Amino acid sequence: MTQLAMPPLDTAVLARRDEIVGALRRIVPDGVIDSEVGMRPYESDGLTAYRQPPMVVVLPETVDQVAAVLSWCHGEGVKVVPRGAGTSLSGGALPLGDGVLMSMMRFNRVKRIDFENRVAVVEPGVTNLGITRAVEHRGFYYAPDPSSQIACSIGGNVAENSGGVHCLKYGLTTNNVLGVEMVLITGEIVCLGGAHLDSGGYDLLALVVGSEGLLGVVTEVTVRILRAPETARAVLVAFDSSEAAGACVADIIAAGIIPGGMEMMDKPAIHAAEDFVHAGYPREAEALLIVELDGPAVEVDHLLERVEAIARSRGAFECRVSNSDAERMAFWAGRKAAFPAVGRISPDYYCMDGTIPRKELPTVLRRMTELSGKYGLRVANVFHAGDGNLHPLILYDANVPGELERAEDFGSDILRLCVEVGGVLTGEHGVGVEKRDLMPTMFDETDLAHQIRVKCAFDEKHLLNPGKVFPELHRCAELGRMHVSGGRVPFPDIPRF
Amino acid sequence: MAGEGTLSPTTPDGVLAAVQAAVADRAPLIVRGRGTKDGLGHAVASNRVLDLSGLTGVTLYEPEELVLSALAGTPMAEIEALLDANGQELAFEPPMRHLIWGLEDAGTIGGAVMVNAAGPRRVKAGAARDHVLGMKAVSGRGEAFKAGGRVVKNVTGYDLSKGLAGSFGTLAVATEITVKVLPKAETTATLVLHGLSDRDAVAALAEAMGAPVEAAGAAHLPAGVATALDLTEAATVVRLEGVEPSVAARFERLATILRPRGRITRLEAAESAALWRALRDGLLFSQDRLLPLWRVSVAPTAGPSVAEAAQAAAVAYDWAGGLVWLAMDPAEPDAGAARIRAAVKAAGGGHATLMRGSDALRAAVPVFEPEMPSVAALTGRLRHQFDPLGVLNPGRMGAGR
């Protein structure tokens, strides 16, 4: 594990641990875990390089319990880290040694489905796929589909503004959530949005979605459900250069076509996937595109013809159109298994998540190859080509001294490169602890101060999930006096909380 | 009075200087683009106007990347023309003529985003907030900052540019806005169901929205307002957009589903476009501009009950019934505010905004939906964080925001 600066442990709080556990037990009698063994599953989330046992775990079951726990912690100055299913890839749910870890996984009911108004009201612990499961008997679904959808919770999706392969056409979580009920750190319950559209005042919901558990604990979510498209077909397109594949993507969009999904893989990723699931990918391809069209059959067929023509004009040497759902799923099998496939060819891998303007793809891939040489580590790329979201997988071996650190430095260089070409540090995995210290490469001190001002309006004492997202915490009253210059945190070696 | 007059910066730095001067003088600013939304919101007690109509220019447009950036005062008409020349559009369909106030001007990109504009396509494509990717702005602290970026997929920090959409310039003055743009549909057609009651119409629209036809608009015009479009009876309309064979197939599918509900006709592309343009721009309520006008957002099936409770002079429904336009009798002192808001609450929640009303009415009635106390307190704290001295449009959205 690499060193990560976190807020210094509050020894006064740690000294009161028994009292704190007792107070939580009075509020949630059957939902407090304080044994070392019992707390072990909560030590990390999907970013397993970082581990930290919490001070205590609480699993509330009712909104009143959530409010009472938060209100008590607020009054006593105790930090709280909210947690959903624990699938975050950026350490958003990493516990604090002097903090209460609040798991929301007992909030697991689908409360109301309203097909006429096309909304579902669910508790935050319901899984992303669980929503679709609850409405699919009537032909409906919930559109955002992060690859962890079988396990990740909708509460976590709200915290991270999760995406998925279909968000080019159907939007991210923020475009598909209509309302939340949430509890502030003070214990106040606020309701934002609902079955209606938009806000009559400030769009606080827009700030809450993607806030990584720093603004409140969500206790209910209202999502928009959609009628599932009648059909979907995919075409697998092989190119002998990533430039040609990138140009094909640009041409498809320039032709006015917004596919349901449009994914790209580079040669290392193609080989890893093919060796793993034998999806039938052409091994000689330098770049592979999967383009999926959905809608009425007549539309899908019509657009597939156009996509094929565009691909041929860009020099595709193979275009394979799916003729059945089984074949379509086979196309996707390799892409969806890309991460475990890479896991087979390397002891460890580190998954990055930058977004770039699509046209910069050839430049970024070329520079990434140079970096790969510099760090002596291999990299495989999968890419949500439609929206420019890049997932480089850096291959390393944690048992070789120094390789993890090298992988992390390589990753940081890739993200800096994304920002340099006009992109961003994270497209869908969140900042968490992982990209926290890179925030100044994208935002200057005033930019960050305005984001922290939102935090100050919701949680002035910085008790909810501190140490995540922002590289420095400042008392809200002192915000005018932040000093970060030239995109670097000054004196990077000193503790900063 | 100190600080009177109009400041007309033509650069973001000029905006920064103007806000810093307002902070230094403790002199509130009326933030204004082309003035097309002067009729919306409460009056701001100030004589100092920050006029952004000279802060113009498209700074980035890459059609194949589906992205456009423009300085906040850039006219919407200019942006629409540029996008149109490339077969693209702003999919949230902001009004291009503000006919409810008798204005032919479409205003500015800053104005459209700061009121979170949304047209009939809201049901499919979202509102302005769903299309904002990034923003440069000056907060009420006199500090310039940026938020978001130029790419669609971005979760780097809070989504501040979305949060600022719809804040009516009370948190920050936008200087440059980056939005997602999308290809225009190749063709469009509208299915018209004739002669339905409001309740039957909203039930039909629910069925249409729940069918796999990707409706890109779902409205109901009761007989009273349908005459503005030369229709003789109530019209329930569903818009389909896309490539020709797809629109044809979906029209047939939808017609099969809805045929038991009434007589069906079809509007072809040109007629269809004219109808939705009229709905988008508020043509239905452009005749008697003395009538106070409410825009109410509720769950779609709640629309008719809110309309009944309102006892309005004229009603129209958009967003499958979830957006209710209510023109009220001008003789009523509160324009039905209490009745309408009680009905919204009884229907499960939502919001009613007074879009049009005399100065006296807007002084007497909260223009924006009053918030629950915990939300109002949060709103107040956010406002204080961004504009502690209250120099940006103070009171425009009501006391405390």
Side-chain angles (χ1 to χ4, degrees):
Chain A
M1 170 178 157
T2 55
Q3 285 305 307
L4 181 71
M6 291 301 281
L9 288 178
D10 187 333
T11 49
V13 163
L14 283 174
R16 294 171 57 204
R17 182 173 185 261
D18 291 348
E19 178 203 335
I20 292 165
V21 170
L24 295 177
R25 257 200 192 110
R26 277 191 295 282
I27 300 169
V28 192
D30 64 340
V32 175
I33 301 171
D34 64 339
S35 74
E36 199 186 316
V37 173
M39 294 196 297
R40 199 158 291 152
Y42 298 94
E43 275 180 7
S44 76
D45 56 21
L47 184 68
T48 52
Y50 300 111
R51 290 179 185 279
Q52 166 67 55
M55 177 170 65
V56 55
V57 177
V58 63
L59 296 104
E61 200 172 20
T62 67
V63 181
D64 288 344
Q65 287 176 345
V66 173
V69 168
L70 292 179
S71 163
W72 190 87
C73 288
H74 183 247
E76 301 294 321
V78 177
K79 297 167 193 141
V80 179
V81 175
R83 178 183 169 109
T87 56
S88 166
L89 292 171
S90 56
L94 182 71
L96 296 169
D98 57 352
V100 173
L101 185 91
M102 181 181 274
S103 167
M104 294 303 289
M105 292 313 278
R106 288 168 89 181
F107 280 76
N108 56 9
R109 289 177 309 148
V110 174
K111 294 170 88 167
R112 193 163 66 82
I113 298 167
D114 179 348
F115 287 105
E116 283 198 298
N117 288 309
R118 299 168 305 286
V119 295
V121 182
V122 302
E123 291 184 338
V126 172
T127 62
N128 172 292
L129 195 59
I131 300 177
T132 293
R133 293 278 178 263
V135 300
E136 65 189 358
H137 63 284
R138 291 269 303 264
F140 283 77
Y141 77 121
Y142 174 63
D145 59 342
S147 30
S148 57
Q149 67 181 152
I150 190 165
C152 63
S153 69
I154 187 67
N157 287 182
V158 168
E160 302 293 329
N161 189 17
S162 307
V165 296
H166 289 101
C167 55
L168 176 65
K169 184 168 177 184
Y170 297 102
L172 302 137
T173 302
T174 190
N175 311 111
N176 288 279
V177 165
L178 300 181
V180 297
E181 173 193 78
M182 68 188 283
V183 185
L184 304 183
I185 186 68
T186 53
E188 287 169 284
I189 298 169
V190 298
C191 296
L192 306 173
H196 59 279
L197 295 172
D198 298 333
S199 170
Y202 291 160
D203 194 343
L204 299 172
L205 184 60
L207 297 173
V208 167
V209 178
S211 62
E212 304 200 25
L214 270 73
L215 300 184
V217 176
V218 169
T219 49
E220 184 186 289
V221 186
T222 302
V223 301
R224 176 172 83 131
I225 53 172
L226 297 177
R227 181 66 191 254
E230 215 167 60
T231 51
R233 289 178 77 192
V235 56
L236 194 67
V237 194
F239 292 93
D240 51 22
S241 79
S242 58
E243 282 84 354
C248 178
V249 169
D251 285 358
I252 290 170
I253 286 172
I257 301 168
I258 303 291
M262 185 149 56
E263 296 288 308
M264 193 190 294
M265 298 165 76
D266 71 359
K267 193 165 203 167
I270 296 166
H271 281 202
E274 184 56 23
D275 291 344
F276 184 33
V277 298
H278 311 292
Y281 293 168
R283 301 178 59 91
E284 64 278 23
E286 286 294 329
L288 196 63
L289 276 184
I290 305 173
V291 184
E292 180 168 295
L293 283 309
D294 60 13
V298 58
E299 172 179 329
V300 169
D301 294 349
H302 178 86
L303 293 179
L304 267 178
E305 266 176 42
R306 284 203 208 172
V307 166
E308 227 183 311
I310 291 168
R312 297 279 183 206
S313 78
R314 284 296 179 179
F317 65 80
E318 189 172 337
C319 271
R320 215 183 302 157
V321 177
S322 70
N323 285 310
S324 66
D325 245 21
E327 202 176 349
R328 181 175 68 89
M329 296 318 282
F331 288 178
W332 281 110
R335 165 61 186 89
K336 293 208 167 173
F339 290 14
V342 165
R344 282 174 74 245
I345 60 169
S346 173
D348 299 285
Y349 67 88
Y350 184 36
C351 173
M352 308 308 297
D353 170 48
T355 304
I356 56 172
R358 274 184 304 268
K359 65 174 180 186
E360 301 291 347
L361 181 68
T363 308
V364 169
L365 289 181
R366 183 174 39 79
R367 300 246 319 251
M368 218 185 292
T369 306
E370 291 165 17
L371 287 169
S372 171
K374 175 185 161 192
Y375 285 100
L377 295 172
R378 290 178 297 163
V379 62
N381 274 290
V382 295
F383 184 52
H384 300 305
D387 46 37
N389 188 197
L390 194 62
H391 292 310
L393 303 167
I394 300 170
L395 280 51
Y396 72 98
D397 182 350
N399 289 321
V400 177
E403 274 213 358
L404 170 58
E405 289 72 16
R406 266 200 346 260
E408 290 186 331
D409 289 346
F410 185 2
S412 296
D413 278 355
I414 292 173
L415 295 183
R416 285 193 194 95
L417 173 59
C418 291
V419 174
E420 185 192 316
V421 300
V424 301
L425 293 172
T426 172
E428 56 184 355
H429 295 172
V431 177
V433 293
E434 188 200 22
K435 281 148 275 189
R436 183 193 69 189
D437 295 347
L438 289 171
M439 286 289 271
T441 62
M442 192 168 146
F443 296 114
D444 70 20
E445 60 177 298
T446 317
D447 302 337
L448 283 174
H450 281 86
Q451 293 199 29
I452 296 171
R453 291 195 188 290
V454 174
K455 170 73 168 171
C456 292
F458 280 80
D459 173 23
E460 197 183 359
K461 292 189 191 173
H462 293 302
L463 289 173
L464 262 177
N465 219 5
K468 316 291 170 67
V469 182
F470 299 112
E472 296 182 84
L473 290 185
H474 288 265
R475 283 163 56 179
C476 291
E478 295 173 353
L479 253 187
R481 289 178 257 144
M482 291 180 69
H483 299 288
V484 183
S485 59
R488 304 288 299 189
V489 178
F491 311 111
D493 300 330
I494 62 167
R496 284 192 311 282
F497 286 94
Chain B
M1 180 180 160
E4 275 185 50
T6 296
L7 305 159
S8 302
T10 56
T11 64
D13 282 345
V15 175
L16 178 62
V19 177
Q20 285 175 340
V23 169
D25 299 347
R26 304 288 193 271
L29 293 167
I30 296 173
V31 185
R32 194 166 187 267
R34 297 173 67 84
T36 55
K37 292 155 191 94
D38 284 354
L40 179 55
H42 294 282
V44 176
S46 173
N47 293 311
R48 196 188 285 202
V49 174
L50 177 56
D51 164 22
L52 300 173
S53 64
L55 182 68
T56 62
V58 172
T59 51
L60 171 109
Y61 177 39
E62 295 179 2
E64 67 292 348
E65 298 274 334
L66 306 177
V67 63
L68 177 143
S69 304
L71 296 178
T74 309
M76 284 297 287
E78 183 184 329
I79 289 171
E80 192 195 33
L82 176 65
L83 292 174
D84 193 54
N86 286 276
Q88 296 188 329
E89 65 186 350
L90 295 172
F92 58 93
E93 215 176 7
M96 294 305 293
R97 296 184 300 161
H98 289 98
L99 298 178
I100 61 168
W101 298 298
L103 301 168
E104 293 288 327
D105 192 322
T108 66
I109 179 79
V113 168
M114 280 306 184
V115 305
N116 190 31
R121 206 184 282 110
R122 175 70 181 88
V123 285
K124 176 166 182 254
R129 51 97 73 188
D130 294 291
H131 298 256
V132 176
L133 302 178
M135 199 181 279
K136 288 180 182 163
V138 177
S139 72
R141 293 177 176 265
E143 295 171 339
F145 67 97
K146 68 172 179 299
R150 53 159 291 184
V151 292
V152 174
K153 259 184 141 176
N154 177 11
V155 294
T156 320
Y158 301 137
D159 206 340
L160 202 46
S161 41
K162 273 193 181 50
L164 291 171
S167 65
F168 282 77
T170 62
L171 296 173
V173 182
T175 53
E176 185 176 353
I177 289 172
T178 301
V179 288
K180 174 169 77 168
V181 299
L182 284 169
K184 272 191 169 175
E186 268 177 27
T187 191
T188 173
T190 294
L191 181 148
V192 187
L193 255 172
H194 296 268
L196 298 189
S197 71
D198 292 6
R199 281 182 190 278
D200 287 348
V202 168
L205 293 176
E207 200 170 2
M209 292 302 298
V213 297
E214 281 191 72
H220 173 64
L221 319 176
V225 294
T227 50
L229 297 173
D230 300 326
L231 294 160
T232 52
E233 55 181 347
T236 308
V237 289
V238 180
R239 175 170 57 178
L240 303 174
E241 296 176 324
V243 292
E244 184 66 50
S246 174
V247 169
R250 283 182 285 146
F251 189 95
E252 277 318 307
R253 171 113 192 212
L254 185 61
T256 306
I257 293 169
L258 295 181
R259 200 159 279 130
R261 291 177 178 273
R263 184 170 68 88
I264 286 173
T265 56
R266 173 180 167 131
L267 300 182
E268 299 303 334
E271 285 174 296
S272 172
L275 169 77
W276 294 98
R277 217 162 31 235
L279 294 179
R280 177 194 72 186
D281 293 343
L283 178 71
L284 301 182
F285 299 99
S286 64
Q287 300 305 313
D288 188 349
R289 293 198 296 275
L290 289 176
L291 301 189
L293 184 65
W294 292 93
R295 184 178 187 262
V296 181
S297 176
V298 289
T301 53
S305 66
V306 170
E308 277 161 27
Q311 300 161 31
V315 179
Y317 302 85
D318 202 343
W319 301 357
L323 184 70
V324 190
W325 291 95
L326 300 167
M328 306 299 289
D329 179 351
E332 249 192 297
D334 76 341
R339 224 164 43 236
I340 292 166
R341 288 190 164 134
V344 168
K345 207 169 176 183
H351 47 91
T353 305
L354 182 63
M355 294 297 287
R356 183 174 69 197
S358 65
D359 293 351
L361 179 60
R362 285 185 288 145
V365 169
V367 168
F368 299 92
E369 184 72 29
E371 293 164 324
M372 67 192 275
S374 56
V375 175
L378 193 50
T379 289
R381 292 198 295 275
L382 191 64
R383 167 94 166 129
H384 180 76
Q385 285 292 332
F386 277 74
D387 182 16
L389 300 172
V391 296
L392 301 181
N393 275 348
R396 177 87 188 253
M397 296 185 80
R401 57 179 173 176

